[in-house]
Amino acid sequence: MPDSVEVRARTGGAELERVVYTAEAIATRVYEMGHEIGAAYPESDPILVLGLLKGSFIFMADLVREIARPVTLDFLVASSYGAGTVTSGEVRLLYDPENTLEGKHVILVEDIVDSGTTMNRLIPMLEARGPRTLEVCALLHKHLAPELVKEPKWVGFDAPNEFLIGYGLDHSENFRNLPFIGSLRTPE
Ligand code: IMP
Ligand code: MG
């Protein structure tokens, strides 16, 4: 568990409510998820792991190193949040994967499912490209979305309804480099 001095140094003095998931807890869970994913598909089938940037970049990097079989990787960038902590309801695709999805087992890697807006907009767009299968792997799931077009097949942690930062998750582009996940005291 990081002590408060280390946490304050890492956050530049910002007040954290608490550390929610330590780096060790995350690593243990990511190891399990990687091995589950690796075992879930027939050996010779092509898998495309598609990371949703920017929030998933650290999770994605750790996860794929725990998948002990060949996979290809790509990213997409969707923007749904402005500077605040409340969803705007808009999803814009700013970068499209170079890889075709057609005929592949596609795994969309998300940092967190919150309102579900991002998932609900992205999944139909990706399904339309004819993947053989499409599944979602989310590090965190707040279980707030009234209706998800697709429930994530793999979830790292059922997250509390707090604004979480670290391990890729940001608040106004800050805190992504924290090795643990914390909750912000008074997000605006
Ligand atoms: P949703 O569309 O509300 O499900 O949220 C999707 C995106 O919003 C996530 O991929 C995150 O990038 C961001 N987000 C949602 N909740 C949080 C949070 O608690 N902390 C940081 N980012 C969040
Ligand atoms: Mg964000």
Side-chain angles (χ1 to χ4, degrees):
M1 178 69 72
D3 66 29
S4 57
V5 174
E6 189 205 325
V7 169
R8 267 202 304 281
R10 289 221 176 234
T11 58
E15 286 288 307
L16 281 197
E17 187 66 42
R18 64 195 178 103
V19 173
V20 183
Y21 305 106
T22 62
E24 292 75 20
I26 296 168
T28 300
R29 189 67 192 111
V30 170
Y31 172 91
E32 292 169 355
M33 296 173 88
H35 285 77
E36 281 172 29
I37 289 170
Y41 298 91
E43 226 169 81
S44 56
D45 286 8
I47 298 178
L48 173 63
V49 184
L50 205 50
L52 182 55
L53 293 176
K54 298 177 217 168
S56 75
F57 84 108
I58 293 178
F59 175 43
M60 171 93 165
D62 286 345
L63 181 72
V64 294
R65 282 178 287 180
E66 302 296 0
I67 303 177
R69 57 167 289 159
V71 295
T72 53
L73 308 180
D74 213 330
F75 296 95
L76 51 85
V77 182
S79 171
S80 63
Y81 279 57
T85 57
V86 179
T87 183
S88 63
E90 293 285 321
V91 172
R92 286 183 299 147
L93 209 53
L94 306 176
Y95 172 80
D96 220 348
E98 289 169 18
N99 287 268
T100 60
L101 275 55
E102 208 176 326
K104 292 173 188 157
H105 295 293
V106 176
I107 304 170
L108 181 63
V109 177
E110 254 273 48
D111 52 355
I112 185 167
V113 180
D114 189 322
S115 70
T117 307
T118 310
M119 286 286 95
N120 286 344
R121 301 271 168 96
L122 279 179
I123 293 294
M125 285 169 59
L126 299 177
E127 290 279 18
R129 298 177 186 190
R132 185 151 159 201
T133 62
L134 176 62
E135 300 291 353
V136 175
C137 174
L139 177 64
L140 303 166
H141 192 342
K142 287 191 182 171
H143 296 281
L144 295 176
E147 215 175 307
L148 281 180
V149 298
K150 187 182 279 290
E151 271 300 326
K153 179 165 178 157
W154 296 282
V155 173
F157 302 99
D158 294 324
N161 188 12
E162 295 166 44
F163 195 80
L164 303 173
I165 55 165
Y167 198 71
L169 293 151
D170 75 305
H171 177 245
S172 301
E173 294 302 327
N174 293 311
F175 312 118
R176 290 195 198 272
N177 63 322
L178 298 182
F180 54 87
I181 294 172
S183 69
L184 262 192
R185 186 153 290 177
T186 48
E188 293 149 40

